[in-house]
Amino acid sequence: MKKITIFVLMTLILANFVDFGHANADSDSEAYGFFVDSDRYGTHKDLEIAEEYTIHNTKYGDYIIGYSRLVVLVYEDQTDSDWASVVIQSTAYPKDVYMKGGLFGRLKFTDMTTLSQNIHSDVDSGFKNWGYGYYTDASLFEMEQPSPMLTISSTTYRASIEFSATPKIQGEVTFDIKELSLLYGHKPDTEIFDVTYKYSCNFLDCSYRDGMTYNKATFLVNMTKNASNAGIFVNDIYLATTFRCVTGYPLFVEWTTDLHVNTLYF
Amino acid sequence: MKDKRYLFLITVIIMSVVFILVYTQLPYKRIPNGLPADYFDIIDKIEDTNANVYVYSDKLNFNDDFHPKFISKVSEIELNRFNEKNFLVIDMDKYNSKSLGTIEEIDQIYKNQCFYILLINYGSSDSTKFDELLTDNSKSSDLITLTYSACHSSYHIEYFSSGFSSNDILMYAILDKISMLISAA
């Protein structure tokens, strides 16, 4: 009995100090809302952060009406260098402004709102005909809490997308939250990843699209069809954010700002 | 009697027009034209958090709405490793012609003293002074933020991909960036 007790105690003590296969997330990916297993993917090969204001040019001057940001991290699969993983976080922040306009150039409060964000990636555009070039799967496309909201939700933003040799799905996923919907498309022959986050009001509540929001996307890149590509990965990623004026001037006008980053590792 | 009524009516109309004009102009007069309505909120946020903002520039004055510490030498910076809200804004137009300090001195406050470094007018001044710290994508930018991992969560470079059409917009971008970094710290 004594031996069993000592054995159990020793096991408990050992279990406390020994790590039995615990997966660690890369801290940079965590900072942007992703869990990228550092044992499998190591540290990122490239991190690019670009930002931009949307400017409305008028005869009275230039006005800042929106802010957008694009964060891209690229990881190489340490267990299979034919695979790379790209994770993306985008930010949209409409900026309200007192704008001059009208007959007398009076200042008027201009209320801006986010309409949509589109992430477009021409994966390694120099090469074609990969068959199935890349896909996202459920475990890598959990959109849990993409934006800071008052009520935390871990299920309403969930989306699972899988791309394979033949496009299995192409269409629209509507999130339960009613304030964000997702449109995506995939064409294996052109190696394009394309996703659009569309903002809308939840009945009369438009606070989500009026505030600062974040969206996330990720896809895997299969480089097996391109032997010469081993160790080199080039990826162009574009973010287009569209803002709209809802009160003030010029009413209902939309502005789209493009951000482009080029990720590269050798 | 009728004339007095007309006079009163005209006076009321004129007063109403004046009131509308004054009302729509006065409260917002202080925000520089073109800058968003959160301009003073951002300044208040930076001031409330006791962030140390040092500026090396002859052109930035923040319209007297914000009062950073203007320096001419790195040695004028008060070092305080325990404050994680330290910012050094370097105007490359001035840096290219005058000396703020050696790269080693700037490297010291960047890597060891938890400073965020904001490089402005880097692309437009065709500077190459900090090239070794920058990525190819960021070298043409006019507002680059450098964060070092030893002090903050990670080392990274953030950059605005386009230039700024006015000094006011550039100054707002600096304040907005500092405010966002304070939120993320």
Side-chain angles (χ1 to χ4, degrees), chain B residues 48-150:
Chain B
D48 290 347
T49 52
N50 296 318
N52 294 316
V53 182
Y54 295 91
V55 175
Y56 181 72
S57 174
D58 290 330
K59 292 177 189 166
L60 302 178
N61 57 18
F62 298 96
N63 297 304
D64 242 7
D65 297 321
F66 177 66
H67 302 96
K69 296 161 189 166
F70 287 95
I71 57 165
S72 53
K73 289 279 179 194
V74 174
S75 54
E76 293 169 29
I77 293 174
E78 297 165 26
L79 300 179
N80 179 6
R81 190 176 165 79
F82 297 106
N83 187 349
E84 291 190 348
K85 302 179 188 79
N86 298 314
F87 303 88
L88 173 59
V89 181
I90 302 173
D91 185 345
M92 295 310 295
D93 284 339
K94 184 174 179 179
Y95 188 90
N96 287 338
S97 58
K98 295 177 183 172
S99 174
L100 170 66
T102 62
I103 288 286
E104 288 74 24
E105 284 178 308
I106 295 165
D107 210 37
Q108 169 78 5
I109 62 159
Y110 168 56
K111 289 182 176 171
N112 298 335
Q113 299 296 328
C114 300
F115 268 72
Y116 292 95
I117 305 280
L118 282 78
L119 303 176
I120 61 168
N121 299 320
Y122 196 83
S124 58
S125 67
D126 293 324
S127 180
T128 55
K129 304 272 170 123
F130 289 90
D131 271 11
E132 61 190 66
L133 292 172
L134 305 177
T135 60
D136 288 342
N137 287 337
S138 61
K139 285 174 186 169
S140 59
S141 173
D142 279 339
L143 177 49
I144 307 165
T145 308
L146 303 172
T147 307
Y148 190 67
S149 57

Side-chain angles (χ1 to χ4, degrees), chain A:
Chain A
M1 186 64 188
K2 208 175 183 179
K3 280 181 184 171
I4 293 169
T5 310
I6 291 169
F7 176 75
V8 169
L9 276 173
M10 289 297 286
T11 309
L12 284 171
I13 291 165
L14 270 173
N16 195 38
F17 290 103
V18 178
D19 189 351
F20 292 106
H22 175 69
N24 295 308
D26 172 62
S27 61
D28 283 328
S29 71
E30 275 191 308
Y32 298 107
F34 292 92
F35 183 95
V36 175
D37 185 348
S38 58
D39 291 338
R40 181 167 179 183
Y41 289 100
T43 55
H44 55 77
K45 294 286 184 183
D46 195 8
L47 166 61
E48 296 287 341
I49 304 173
E51 49 201 337
E52 187 68 286
Y53 284 124
T54 299
I55 302 287
H56 175 44
N57 310 107
T58 75
K59 65 177 180 180
Y60 299 107
D62 294 343
Y63 291 88
I64 297 173
I65 53 172
Y67 166 83
S68 49
R69 188 165 90 135
L70 180 61
V71 180
V72 181
L73 295 108
V74 180
Y75 294 86
E76 187 180 47
D77 191 333
Q78 304 296 298
T79 60
D80 184 351
S81 60
D82 286 331
W83 287 87
S85 176
V86 179
V87 299
I88 300 163
Q89 186 205 60
S90 63
T91 306
Y93 191 14
K95 295 275 189 179
D96 300 334
V97 63
Y98 293 100
M99 204 179 285
K100 283 184 180 176
L103 200 60
F104 303 105
R106 281 195 306 117
L107 281 173
K108 199 170 180 183
F109 183 73
T110 301
D111 185 9
M112 299 299 300
T113 195
T114 307
L115 274 193
S116 67
Q117 280 206 307
N118 172 258
I119 296 169
H120 179 96
S121 180
D122 189 354
V123 180
D124 209 357
S125 59
F127 303 96
K128 302 291 179 189
N129 303 318
W130 285 2
Y132 62 98
Y134 50 94
Y135 65 84
T136 61
D137 62 26
S139 63
L140 285 169
F141 207 86
E142 291 178 1
M143 292 181 63
E144 293 178 357
Q145 191 70 9
S147 290
M149 297 182 74
L150 291 176
T151 310
I152 293 170
S153 169
S154 61
T155 55
T156 51
Y157 288 95
R158 195 180 187 92
S160 302
I161 301 172
E162 180 183 336
F163 297 137
S164 62
T166 53
K168 291 179 181 175
I169 43 177
Q170 192 166 358
E172 181 175 351
V173 174
T174 303
F175 294 91
D176 295 339
I177 198 73
K178 309 278 188 209
E179 290 174 302
L180 187 70
S181 62
L182 178 69
L183 289 147
Y184 56 89
H186 170 64
K187 295 174 183 173
D189 57 331
T190 54
E191 298 115 31
I192 288 171
F193 175 88
D194 192 277
V195 58
T196 302
Y197 303 88
K198 293 184 74 178
Y199 291 68
S200 56
C201 297
N202 186 9
F203 298 108
L204 295 174
D205 179 11
C206 299
S207 56
Y208 184 76
R209 68 180 198 175
D210 287 342
M212 182 186 273
T213 53
Y214 305 98
N215 295 308
K216 299 195 294 184
T218 181
F219 55 89
L220 297 179
V221 182
N222 184 346
M223 299 188 288
T224 53
K225 294 285 180 181
N226 177 17
S228 65
N229 204 23
I232 302 173
F233 173 67
V234 182
N235 184 207
D236 285 305
I237 296 167
Y238 302 87
L239 172 72
T241 309
T242 303
F243 298 105
R244 177 191 273 173
C245 169
V246 286
T247 58
Y249 2 73
L251 198 58
F252 302 133
V253 170
E254 296 172 11
W255 292 264
T256 300
T257 299
D258 293 318
L259 258 176
H260 167 238
V261 300
N262 174 264
T263 63
L264 171 69
Y265 74 75
F266 295 94

